[in-house]
Amino acid sequence: MVLLHAGNCAMGEIILETRGLFKDFGGFIAVNNVDLKIRQGTIHSLIGPNGAGKTTLFNLLTKFLQPTRGQIFFAGRDITGARPSELPRSGMCRSFQISATFPSLTALENVRIALQRRQGISYHFWRSQNLARKLDMTAHSFLAEVGLEEFAHRPAAELSYGRKRALELATTLALSPRVLLLDEPMAGLGLEETGRITQLIRRVGQGRTIVLVEHNLNVVADLSDDITVLQRGEILASGSYATVSQSPEVIEAYMGTGDV
């Protein structure tokens, strides 16, 4: 077991870093010698053509995969051997491409469970009545932050897909993450909901660090402070959107897609 006690990072300092990260699957190299640096307080997007290694890198960062070799550091601490369940306690939380909520519970109850998990009392349901009253005010504040206050008592199953994504974000924020990792948050959203979730990510990103895997390059351009472009498991370019979008290598990688 790896005990995680992440140190403090000032705004702009490196909070999440990989060194020589490598992952192969039976001879197929999915991530190849990746040195990635994420700055505290920024929105950093990972982009690239299909098969570039984005999802594998994301799963390595969130410990759903173990690297073949290389190291991962969070706030100066080596977390290479950590288990996924340890990361939320250290301040790293992730979302998934498919919205993960409890459909029969209300929006408020979904957030309340996350708050109980943060306090280490998630499974003490026999204390729920008194505990719920103490947590309700905090849960309402997180719902308000993502624009779901008016849906607090609506079962999650009755929410639109975009609002379910917002609810998932509220439950993740309830864990008080220092780094929030979002896996294709716009997947399956229509134009109007994409705009709403984009604004939401920008709002909750104030003062937080967000790592974003996203195919919608309009969203990436709108949100990102830094961008890392991957191709065939390697870093092709890094920098601002203005910088990477003018890179001949990046243009060639996306040629024919109409995205850059």
Side-chain angles (χ1 to χ4, degrees):
M1 178 178 179
V2 178
L3 296 179
L4 303 179
H5 301 286
N8 294 322
C9 291
M11 192 71 68
E13 292 185 357
I14 303 304
I15 189 169
L16 184 59
E17 179 180 6
T18 70
R19 300 177 188 173
L21 206 61
F22 185 94
K23 181 65 178 180
D24 76 87
F25 297 94
F28 172 72
I29 301 173
V31 171
N32 188 10
N33 196 35
V34 167
D35 295 325
L36 178 69
K37 293 184 178 182
I38 309 293
R39 297 183 295 126
Q40 169 76 22
T42 62
I43 298 179
H44 192 124
S45 292
L46 304 177
I47 68 171
N50 290 333
K54 304 183 297 296
T55 298
T56 301
L57 178 57
F58 191 88
N59 286 331
L60 289 168
L61 292 174
T62 54
K63 308 311 302 161
F64 281 74
L65 289 174
Q66 287 294 330
T68 305
R69 61 175 180 266
Q71 294 174 288
I72 305 171
F73 293 86
F74 173 53
R77 302 287 181 173
D78 189 337
I79 63 168
T80 308
R83 296 192 297 267
S85 60
E86 296 176 75
L87 295 188
R89 292 194 295 272
S90 72
M92 283 179 59
C93 295
R94 70 166 289 176
S95 72
F96 296 85
Q97 290 185 28
I98 299 174
S99 182
T101 59
F102 295 101
S104 62
L105 299 182
T106 66
L108 181 69
E109 289 166 339
N110 270 272
V111 179
R112 185 191 298 153
I113 287 175
L115 290 169
Q116 289 175 279
R117 173 65 181 87
R118 187 179 73 186
Q119 297 184 13
I121 50 178
S122 298
Y123 302 104
H124 293 189
F125 289 113
W126 56 88
R127 297 169 55 189
S128 61
Q129 289 299 319
N130 289 333
L131 184 61
R133 294 188 186 96
K134 296 178 181 178
L135 297 179
D136 274 354
M137 185 175 297
T138 304
H140 275 291
S141 71
F142 283 113
L143 289 173
E145 188 171 1
V146 301
L148 291 180
E149 175 69 8
E150 64 180 292
F151 301 97
H153 301 290
R154 185 82 59 85
E158 297 180 8
L159 299 176
S160 69
Y161 185 71
R163 290 194 172 101
K164 287 177 183 175
R165 300 312 299 255
L167 177 57
E168 184 186 32
L169 187 54
T171 60
T172 305
L173 292 175
L175 297 171
S176 295
R178 295 173 62 190
V179 176
L180 182 59
L181 300 107
L182 304 179
D183 189 10
E184 297 192 28
M186 308 303 167
L189 297 181
L191 183 60
E192 182 178 347
E193 289 185 322
T194 294
R196 184 184 303 121
I197 298 299
T198 299
Q199 293 175 11
L200 174 57
I201 292 173
R202 181 185 295 108
R203 186 166 66 249
V204 302
Q206 296 295 319
R208 295 184 174 101
T209 305
I210 294 179
V211 181
L212 182 71
V213 173
E214 181 54 53
H215 284 291
N216 188 324
L217 292 190
N218 290 325
V219 170
V220 169
D222 191 18
L223 287 176
S224 304
D225 299 297
D226 300 310
I227 297 172
T228 295
V229 185
L230 296 170
Q231 184 183 37
R232 299 187 183 93
E234 300 180 355
I235 292 180
L236 187 62
S238 291
S240 67
Y241 183 83
T243 298
V244 301
S245 64
Q246 297 302 314
S247 165
E249 292 84 2
V250 172
I251 293 173
E252 181 178 356
Y254 277 94
M255 188 171 293
T257 67
D259 287 330
V260 173

